[in-house]
Amino acid sequence: MKQLLRKPVQHCPNNDEFSACSLRQRRVVVSQRCRRIASHLRLTLTQISGADIHRYLSNSVLAPASFLLLLLLFWEGAARLFRIPLYVLPSPLKVLQALIAELPALFAHGQVTVSEAAAGIAISLALALLLGITMDCFPLFRQGLYPVFVVTQTVPMIVLAPILIIYMGFGAAPKILTVVLMCFFPVVVSFSDGLSQVNEEYVHLTRSYGAGKWQAYRLVKIPAALPSLLSGLKVAATYSISGAVVGEWIGSQEGLGYYLLRVKNSYMLDKVFACVLVIIFLSLCMNGLIRLFQRAAMPYLKKAG
């Protein structure tokens, strides 16, 4: 075999000449072509150095950062050039100054909003686990309940929030329930779809070894549906702060929604933008916490990537 590979390359430029070659000559030609392709791939991979990867990552980060910086500079220049009043459009520098000045108040109100959002996320997760497993066990129950979940998402939350306050008062309960109504749907749908996509052969295998129905869920279905569940949780975590703010906007005495309504009525738009920045930051933090939990719970995804 080694002597065969050491033979010179047999050139068959077209299909007719290739078909006329002997079987041994065809093997030599195919082997030489595979070697050339492999050597070309090795050369291409060696040319992609660590500097190229670092340059690509830098460009992927620098491009949006540069665009955002240019936008802020244009915004600051337009506000100074046209002397736009503060109650119409504050400059980024004014917003930053308001953020620093109001940081203690924003921190105090943010604690209330985060606690309501965290409670809503916890309740949504518990309900999603319970109903997701129930819908997977009873397909008829899923067929009847799934359209109800879809209908609940068509009702604007700004309409439901006042009704909840009328029934439940001005405490934390209507705000938490608002978060639950906004966050429950993506979590339960993702988890239910993840359970339905599990290969049933693995379930039959565990049942053949004597595992009960709940053990099959604990050992096979729930771990397999965990990526889908966390995907829904990441979406819900981003919505959680907004849901709490909506509930506080309608009726509250504390929280970022209450602070936002108060400064809006006073036409302090620099403080309004500062509060919006805090809301964006907290939403990203909630999403980041779910991502950290995903890395800790499923380290094999990082290794596979």
Side-chain angles (χ1 to χ4, degrees), residues 270-292:
D270 54 343
K271 297 180 180 180
V272 170
F273 279 89
C275 185
V276 170
L277 289 178
V278 173
I279 292 173
I280 294 173
F281 174 75
L282 292 178
S283 299
L284 293 177
C285 288
M286 295 291 287
N287 184 276
L289 288 176
I290 302 300
R291 291 181 180 273
L292 290 177

Side-chain angles (χ1 to χ4, degrees), residues 6 27 52 55 60 68 86 88 116 129-130 132-133 139 143 154 198 201 228 244 265 283 296:
R6 290 174 183 172
R27 291 176 179 174
D52 296 329
R55 191 180 304 111
S60 64
L68 181 60
L86 185 65
V88 176
E116 295 169 352
L129 291 174
L130 178 62
I133 295 174
Q143 294 175 3
T154 61
V198 176
E201 293 183 359
S228 300
N265 293 335
S283 299

Side-chain angles (χ1 to χ4, degrees), residues 67-86 88-96 269-270 272-274 276-277:
F67 178 79
L68 181 60
L69 180 60
L70 289 175
L71 180 62
L72 292 175
L73 290 175
F74 176 77
W75 181 1
E76 182 71 26
R80 290 174 179 264
L81 180 62
F82 297 104
R83 297 181 179 179
I84 302 177
L86 185 65
V88 176
L89 182 65
S91 65
L93 186 58
K94 294 291 185 182
V95 174
L96 182 60
L269 288 193
D270 54 343
V272 170
F273 279 89
V276 170
L277 289 178

Side-chain angles (χ1 to χ4, degrees), residues 2-66:
K2 293 182 179 179
Q3 296 177 356
L4 179 62
L5 293 177
R6 290 174 183 172
K7 289 186 177 182
V9 180
Q10 303 292 329
H11 297 284
C12 293
N14 52 48
N15 295 331
D16 296 335
E17 294 182 9
F18 185 77
S19 59
C21 294
S22 64
L23 179 59
R24 178 174 298 181
Q25 291 173 337
R26 292 183 186 179
R27 291 176 179 174
V28 172
V29 171
V30 173
S31 176
Q32 293 296 333
R33 288 179 179 176
C34 292
R35 286 185 176 184
R36 287 198 296 271
I37 293 173
S39 62
H40 179 71
L41 288 175
R42 285 196 297 268
L43 179 62
T44 305
L45 291 175
T46 54
Q47 289 176 349
I48 302 176
S49 61
D52 296 329
I53 298 174
H54 178 71
R55 191 180 304 111
Y56 171 77
L57 294 176
S58 300
N59 292 335
S60 64
V61 174
L62 288 177
S66 301

Side-chain angles (χ1 to χ4, degrees), residues 14 24 31 54 80-81 111 122 127 129 132 136 138 166 171 179 181 185-186 196 204 233 235 238-239 248 291 297:
N14 52 48
R24 178 174 298 181
S31 176
H54 178 71
R80 290 174 179 264
L81 180 62
Q111 285 182 319
L127 291 177
L129 291 174
D136 187 72
F138 307 101
I166 292 174
V179 177
L181 292 176
F185 181 77
S196 63
H204 296 328
L233 271 177
V235 176
T238 308
Y239 289 160
E248 293 166 352
R291 291 181 180 273

